[in-house]
C-alpha cells in the first residue's frame, strides 16, 4: 500500500518544470505533497523488513527497527555536523572536481552500507545521505557538480520504467491490469482532490493536484523489490504491480493535460471576483503576516514574481490591465486586476501590512502616481520602484 500511495517526484516535478507551473497554486500544492511523501519514505523503509516476520514478535521487531533507525540517524547527523563540512573544506581547497565528486560518492555509498549493515534498507542510507549533503555549506557546488549525472540518471530511470512494462503480462491479463491501473488513478485522484478541498484549495486547483499526483511513484520499485527479496510478495504479484505502476507513470502527462483542461474550464466559469482579489486564494495571502505586493505584471514584474517564488516568499500581484490579470489568474498565479492608485483597492489588498511593495510599471507617469499615492497612505511602507532612467530614479528618490 505504501509503495502505491507515494507519487512520482521525478515525473511530476519534470512536468511542472517543463510547463513552468512550479510557481502556480497547484504547482506549490503538488510540490508540498511530494515533499511530505519523500519524508514518509523513511518509516516505510524501516517497516517493510518487519512485515517479513509474518507478525510474530511485532512489538520487539518494531522496537529493534526503531533503535536501528535511531542509531543510523544519530550517526549520520553526527557525521554531517562534525565530519562532512571539514572534509568538504579540505577537498574544496584542493580545487579538484574529481576529488569533490569522489567525496560525494563516498558519502552516499558509506551511508548506504551503514544502514544495510544495521539491517535496514541501503536505499534509506542513500536518501539520508542526500538530505545530509543538502544541509552542508557546499550544497550549491554539490548540486552543480552532480547536475550532468542527474540528467543522465533521470533519463536512465525513465528507460527503466519502460522496461518494467511487461507487454506479455498485459496481453494475457488485460481486464486485471486495466482494473488495477484505473483503480490506482481513480482512488488516488479522489483522495488527493478531497484532501486538497479540506485544506482550503479551490476545486480547480484541487482536481488538478489530484490528477497530476494520481500515479504510483518510483518508491514502488524499491518497496516491491524489497518485499520480493524478503518473501512478502511472490514473483508474479511483484511483476503485476510493477507493470501497473509503470503504466500509471506513463499516463502522467495525459492526466496532467486532463487536469489542466478541467482547471481552465472551471477558471473561465468563475465570476469576476476571482480576478479582483476577493476569492479564497487571495484572502489567504492577504491575511498572512509575511507577503509582498508586486504592482505591474509586465516583463519586469514577471521576473520579480519568479524571484519571489524561488525564495518561497508569498506575494500578490496587481495589474491595471484586465487581460494580463485574467491570463495570469487562469494559469493559477496570484495576479489580480486593480488600480493601485486608488486607496480602496490598496486597502482591499492589505497593502499596509505588506513587507514591501515592488512597483514594476513601465510607464513613468503611472509609476510616479503609484509611488506618491502609496507613500501618502502608508508612510512607513518599504517601496521599491522600477526606474526608466537616471532622471526618473532621481525623481523617485
Amino acid at each position: 500500500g505504501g509503495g502505491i500511495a507515494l507519487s512520482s517526484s521525478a515525473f511530476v516535478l519534470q512536468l511542472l518544470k517543463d510547463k513552468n507551473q512550479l510557481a502556480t497554486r497547484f504547482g506549490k500544492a503538488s510540490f508540498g505533497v511530494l515533499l511530505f511523501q519523500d519524508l514518509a519514505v523513511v518509516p516505510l523503509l524501516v517497516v517493510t523488513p518487519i512485515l517479513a516476520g509474518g507478525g510474530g514478535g511485532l512489538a520487539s521487531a518494531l522496537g529493534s527497527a526503531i533503535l536501528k533507525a535511531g542509531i543510523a540517524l544519530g550517526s549520520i547527523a553526527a557525521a554531517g555536523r562534525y565530519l562532512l563540512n571539514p572534509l568538504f573544506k579540505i577537498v574544496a581547497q584542493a580545487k579538484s572536481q574529481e576529488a569533490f565528486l569522489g567525496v560525494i560518492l563516498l558519502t552516499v555509498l558509506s551511508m548506504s552500507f551503514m544502514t544495510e549493515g544495521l539491517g535496514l534498507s541501503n536505499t534509506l542510507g542513500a536518501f539520508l545521505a542526500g538530505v545530509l549533503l543538502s544541509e552542508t555549506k557546499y550544497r550549491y557546488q554539490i548540486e552543480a557538480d552532480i547536475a550532468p549525472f542527474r540528467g543522465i540518471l533521470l533519463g536512465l530511470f525513465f528507460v527503466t520504467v519502460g522496461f518494467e512494462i511487461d507487454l506479455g503480462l498485459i496481453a494475457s491479463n488485460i481486464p486485471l491490469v486495466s482494473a488495477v491501473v484505473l483503480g490506482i488513478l481513480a482512488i488516488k485522484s479522489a483522495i488527493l482532490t478531497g484532501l486538497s478541498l479540506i485544506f482550503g484549495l479551490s476545486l480547480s486547483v484541487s482536481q488538478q493536484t489530484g490528477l497530476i499526483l494520481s500515479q504510483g511513484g518510483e518508491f514502488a520499485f524499491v518497496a516491491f523489490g524489497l518485499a520480493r527479496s524478503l518473501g512478502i510478495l511472490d514473483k508474479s504479484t511483484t511483476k503485476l504491480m510493477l507493470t501497473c505502476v509503470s503504466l500509471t507513470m506513463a499516463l502522467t502527462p495525459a492526466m496532467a493535460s486532463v487536469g489542466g483542461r478541467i482547471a481552465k474550464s472551471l477558471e473561465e466559469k468563475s465570476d469576476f471576483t476571482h480576478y479582483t482579489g476577493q476569492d479564497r486564494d487571495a484572502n489567504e495571502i492577504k491575511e498572512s503576516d509575511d507577503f509582498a505586493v508586486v504592482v505591474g505584471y509586465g516583463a519586469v514584474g514577471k521576473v520579480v514574481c519568479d524571484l519571489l517564488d524561488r525564495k518561497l516568499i508569498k506575494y500578490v500581484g496587481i495589474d491595471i490591465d484586465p487581460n494580463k490579470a485574467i491570463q495570469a489568474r487562469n494559469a493559477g498565479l496570484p495576479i489580480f486586476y486593480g488600480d493601485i492608485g486608488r486607496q480602496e483597492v490598496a486597502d482591499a489588498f492589505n497593502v499596509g501590512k505588506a513587507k514591501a511593495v515592488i512597483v514594476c510599471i513601465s510607464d513613468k507617469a503611472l509609476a510616479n502616481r503609484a509611488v506618491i499615492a502609496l507613500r501618502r497612505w502608508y508612510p512607513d511602507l518599504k517601496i521599491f520602484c522600477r526606474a526608466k532612467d537616471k532622471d526618473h530614479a532621481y525623481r523617485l528618490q
Side-chain angles (χ1 to χ4, degrees):
I4 298 175
L6 304 189
S7 302
S8 174
S9 300
F11 273 81
V12 174
L13 292 180
Q14 191 65 38
L15 274 174
L16 293 175
K17 184 178 179 181
D18 290 344
K19 295 184 178 182
N20 197 27
Q21 292 179 324
L22 278 171
T24 63
R25 190 72 179 91
F26 109 89
K28 292 178 180 178
S30 301
F31 180 78
V33 174
L34 291 172
L35 184 62
F36 186 80
Q37 289 182 351
D38 285 343
L39 297 177
V41 167
V42 177
L44 287 173
L45 288 173
V46 172
V47 169
T48 302
I50 298 176
L51 299 177
L58 181 61
S60 61
L62 185 60
S64 175
I66 293 174
L67 178 61
K68 291 176 181 179
I71 294 173
L73 290 172
S75 302
I76 290 173
R81 183 169 184 176
Y82 300 108
L83 298 178
L84 210 55
N85 273 318
L87 179 60
F88 273 107
K89 182 179 180 180
I90 295 172
V91 175
Q93 290 173 345
K95 298 180 180 180
S96 171
Q97 185 181 13
E98 292 78 9
F100 202 82
L101 286 171
V103 173
I104 296 172
L105 183 60
L106 175 64
T107 302
V108 175
L109 291 177
S110 59
M111 299 300 174
S112 297
F113 291 146
M114 185 185 71
T115 53
E116 188 175 23
L118 288 171
L120 302 172
S121 170
N122 54 10
T123 308
L124 174 61
F127 176 82
L128 295 176
V131 174
L132 196 63
L133 291 171
S134 69
E135 294 298 320
T136 65
K137 295 186 295 184
Y138 304 91
R139 56 186 176 274
Y140 299 114
Q141 185 61 44
I142 293 172
E143 184 178 359
D145 284 346
I146 66 173
F149 303 98
R150 181 176 58 188
I152 294 172
L153 294 174
L154 189 60
L156 182 61
F157 167 72
F158 290 145
V159 172
T160 304
V161 171
F163 278 126
E164 288 294 341
I165 299 176
D166 190 334
L167 297 179
L169 177 64
I170 296 174
S172 59
N173 296 277
I174 291 179
L176 177 59
V177 173
S178 300
V180 173
V181 171
L182 294 177
I184 293 173
L185 295 175
I187 293 172
K188 291 191 67 176
S189 296
I191 292 174
L192 287 166
T193 301
L195 289 175
S196 298
L197 289 171
I198 291 173
F199 280 96
L201 298 181
S202 64
L203 178 59
S204 63
V205 173
S206 298
Q207 63 83 26
Q208 203 170 6
T209 303
L211 287 173
I212 201 172
L213 296 176
S214 60
Q215 76 290 126
E218 50 270 11
F219 177 72
F221 296 91
V222 178
F224 293 145
L226 183 61
R228 172 74 182 91
S229 64
L230 295 172
I232 300 174
L233 297 176
D234 57 53
K235 185 177 180 180
S236 59
T237 303
T238 303
K239 193 62 179 178
L240 172 65
M241 296 309 300
L242 290 178
T243 298
C244 293
V245 169
S246 300
L247 289 173
T248 63
M249 296 170 78
L251 290 171
T252 300
M255 299 297 288
S257 179
V258 171
R261 292 178 183 178
I262 296 175
K264 184 178 180 181
S265 177
L266 292 173
E267 296 283 2
E268 291 174 348
K269 292 178 181 178
S270 302
D271 56 19
F272 204 69
T273 59
H274 180 67
Y275 305 103
T276 57
Q278 300 176 37
D279 60 354
R280 184 188 300 172
D281 292 342
N283 291 333
E284 180 182 339
I285 299 173
K286 294 185 296 183
E287 292 172 1
S288 66
D289 297 325
D290 188 13
F291 73 99
V293 176
V294 180
V295 181
Y297 194 65
V300 176
K302 291 179 181 178
V303 172
V304 172
C305 292
D306 287 342
L307 290 173
L308 293 174
D309 275 319
R310 292 179 184 178
K311 295 295 183 181
L312 302 179
I313 298 173
K314 292 181 180 179
Y315 70 89
V316 58
I318 304 172
D319 199 289
I320 200 171
D321 185 344
N323 293 325
K324 288 183 180 179
I326 290 172
Q327 185 178 6
R329 197 73 191 95
N330 286 342
L333 297 170
I335 310 299
F336 304 94
Y337 169 72
D339 181 5
I340 198 66
R342 297 173 57 184
Q343 187 170 7
E344 59 268 26
V345 174
D347 290 340
F349 282 96
N350 284 341
V351 173
K353 289 179 57 181
K355 294 294 183 182
V357 174
I358 305 99
V359 181
C360 305
I361 302 173
S362 58
D363 185 88
K364 285 185 181 181
L366 291 177
N368 292 340
R369 171 175 171 267
V371 172
I372 291 171
L374 290 171
R375 181 57 67 212
R376 182 171 67 249
W377 301 329
Y378 314 108
D380 299 326
L381 184 64
K382 290 182 180 179
I383 303 175
F384 302 90
C385 184
R386 171 191 181 185
K388 292 285 288 185
D389 49 44
K390 185 177 180 180
D391 293 337
H392 189 208
Y394 180 76
R395 172 73 179 87
L396 291 170
Q397 291 175 351

